[in-house]
Amino acid sequence: MWVDRTEVVRSSLHPVFSKVFTVDYYFEEVQKLRFEVYDTHGGPSGLSCQEDDFLGGMECTLGQIVAQKKVTRPLLLKFGRNAGKSTITVIAEDISGNNGYVELSFRARKLDDKDLFSKSDPFLELYRVNDDQGLQLVYRTEVVKNDLNPVWEPFKVSLSSLCSCEETRPLKCLVWDYDSRGKHDFIGEFSTTFEEMQKASGEGQAQWDCVNPKYKQKRRNYKNSGVVVLADLKFHRVYSFLDYIMGGCQIHFTVAIDFTASNGDPRNSCSLHYINPYQPNEYLKALVCVGEICQDYDSDKRFSALGFGARIPPKYEVSHDFAINFNPEDDECEGIQGVVEAYRNCVPRVQLYGPTNVAPIISKVARVAAAEERTAEASQYYILLILTDGVVTDMADTREAIVRASRLPMSIIIVGVGNADFTDMQVLDGDDGVLRSPRGEPALRDIVQFVPFRELKNAILHRLRAVPEAGAFST
């Protein structure tokens, strides 16, 4: 599905596009995007015209852009060939997060006339100064033709885009006289901050000299090349889950797999743990569905993989909390594929047993999350995926563990595989009322999402919505 098209930047091999694409973001889905760049020949607006020359394309997921905030990839031609040394950079910003957004309206007066037979055609560019002192284009206004006292249309930008949510971060405004060949004439510039703009706007004195540094250096009586006025400023603050992710919060993903005897002998093709060389079983399908979403938000791509309800080597004692790679010192696997390989190697080495106790694993992840909370940095959020074929047998302990975990940066997704009756599992979900511990203590927030895999094998991603509720926690 085509989303949108940028403006055309004329006569430039290094274009910076000001057009912002607004895309609905769903944490629980893999949203694949494709960007294509064309050299236009003046055709009508749309995805592309037959006369336009294809310069290259790039594919990624929205999750990758959100997690990294800035993604640079080479442009590729057909059949995967590089388009020379061409690259494309995509930057993500949250326009609905608690950074809020700003409505700005600029005008100018007495700008320098750069044209011989008419007046200047001015437009304004607003830049953010990054930590490396590089300039990031925030917004480019429209061109006002033949006017030295232009009034530009009001526009909206997120506070994240404007100043990275730092109100004292330097901003730079450049004013240009438009040239159809792309060789715009520089009129002048000024620097400010969002904090200064707010204060000046409140006092009714929001204006700056538009200065050309070359003229200032060479001309003794030079004052300015015009004045830019901030005619209006309105700030709107809203809140969302993305503030944590885009603020650098990492998702730590743990999967816990049910190895109880009710799954059936793995050597039998009827077993839920049967390793079919031609088709993944339900445990693997659920693991990959959820894991592929979470991996975009984990920088090191290492995932904890645990098992419960089995007798494990070498003594074959029952364990409800063991590393499926059989390394108690490091239960993490390299990527989702690493978890898949560890699972395949684990199945023939353990003896399926029971009972179905999940409280030990919930408590284990909660202890790690509690240690993170004490740092007061909110840099890690923990997701526990529990894959089970039946109702848990330690329900009272599980309810207690979930209520305690509801105060931590943690969410739990429980996927029921197989054909068991999962009616009792809905109690843990909290959708029909606040979950309470056996002592009557209520959960601070709903952190559990239960999903019967058989009901939505083809739509599982649309129901895994436990994680977005994570925005409620604070440290």
Side-chain angles (χ1 to χ4, degrees), residues 69 71 84 111 137 144 152 155 222 248-249 254 326 341 437 466 469:
K69 292 195 287 187
V71 172
L111 295 177
L137 178 64
V144 178
W152 292 291
F155 59 91
Y222 175 79
C249 182
T254 299
F326 300 106
E341 293 173 1
S437 71
E469 297 172 15

Side-chain angles (χ1 to χ4, degrees), residues 148-404:
L148 301 182
N149 300 286
V151 177
W152 292 291
E153 290 292 329
F155 59 91
K156 297 179 182 180
V157 295
S158 71
L159 192 61
S160 174
S161 175
L162 179 65
C163 59
S164 302
C165 302
E166 300 172 13
E167 298 188 6
T168 58
R169 178 177 289 276
L171 305 173
K172 178 171 281 192
C173 286
L174 307 181
V175 180
W176 303 84
D177 172 31
Y178 175 79
D179 183 276
S180 59
R181 298 168 298 174
K183 297 180 180 180
H184 311 305
D185 294 319
F186 178 63
I187 295 178
E189 65 181 32
F190 68 91
S191 297
T192 183
T193 66
F194 179 59
E195 182 181 60
E196 180 183 336
M197 286 197 295
Q198 282 185 300
K199 183 178 180 181
S201 179
E203 297 173 351
Q205 299 177 349
Q207 63 180 42
W208 296 266
D209 286 338
C210 187
V211 176
N212 187 321
K214 290 184 179 180
Y215 292 174
K216 186 175 182 180
Q217 185 178 11
K218 295 179 179 180
R219 300 178 183 178
R220 179 177 298 180
N221 297 322
Y222 175 79
K223 294 182 62 176
N224 58 50
S225 293
V227 175
V228 177
V229 179
L230 177 59
D232 193 22
L233 182 153
K234 296 177 182 178
F235 178 43
H236 306 268
R237 187 177 295 278
V238 288
Y239 299 87
S240 90
F241 171 71
L242 272 181
D243 289 318
Y244 288 100
I245 297 298
M246 298 188 73
C249 182
Q250 292 289 308
I251 298 296
H252 189 279
F253 179 62
T254 299
V255 59
I257 301 173
D258 182 343
F259 286 98
T260 57
S262 57
N263 285 281
D265 188 340
R267 294 170 295 184
N268 191 316
S269 61
C270 295
S271 171
L272 292 171
H273 281 304
Y274 177 68
I275 305 298
N276 187 327
Y278 304 105
Q279 182 178 358
N281 60 37
E282 287 195 0
Y283 278 100
L284 286 174
K285 289 179 182 178
L287 167 63
V288 172
C289 279
V290 182
E292 284 187 343
I293 294 171
C294 295
Q295 68 181 355
D296 282 346
Y297 306 91
D298 191 317
S299 59
D300 65 5
K301 301 295 186 289
R302 290 178 58 83
F303 308 113
S304 295
L306 307 173
F308 60 93
R311 287 175 166 170
I312 62 173
K315 297 182 179 180
Y316 288 94
E317 297 174 341
V318 177
S319 174
H320 299 291
D321 172 15
F322 65 92
I324 65 172
N325 63 2
F326 300 106
N327 182 358
E329 302 300 322
D330 183 7
D331 58 26
E332 293 188 327
C333 301
E334 293 288 344
I336 294 303
Q337 190 56 41
V339 178
V340 171
E341 293 173 1
Y343 167 76
R344 290 178 180 274
N345 293 331
C346 176
V347 170
R349 297 181 60 186
V350 299
Q351 294 178 2
L352 275 57
Y353 202 69
T356 309
N357 293 346
V358 299
I361 282 180
I362 295 175
S363 297
K364 177 175 183 175
V365 176
R367 285 193 294 272
V368 181
E372 171 65 24
E373 186 189 38
R374 286 192 289 271
T375 68
E377 294 180 355
S379 62
Q380 295 280 339
Y381 193 87
Y382 295 82
I383 297 177
L384 171 60
L385 169 64
I386 299 175
L387 306 177
T388 180
D389 78 319
V391 178
V392 300
T393 52
D394 60 341
M395 184 63 77
D397 290 341
T398 297
R399 287 165 53 198
E400 181 73 34
I402 291 172
V403 169
R404 288 198 303 268

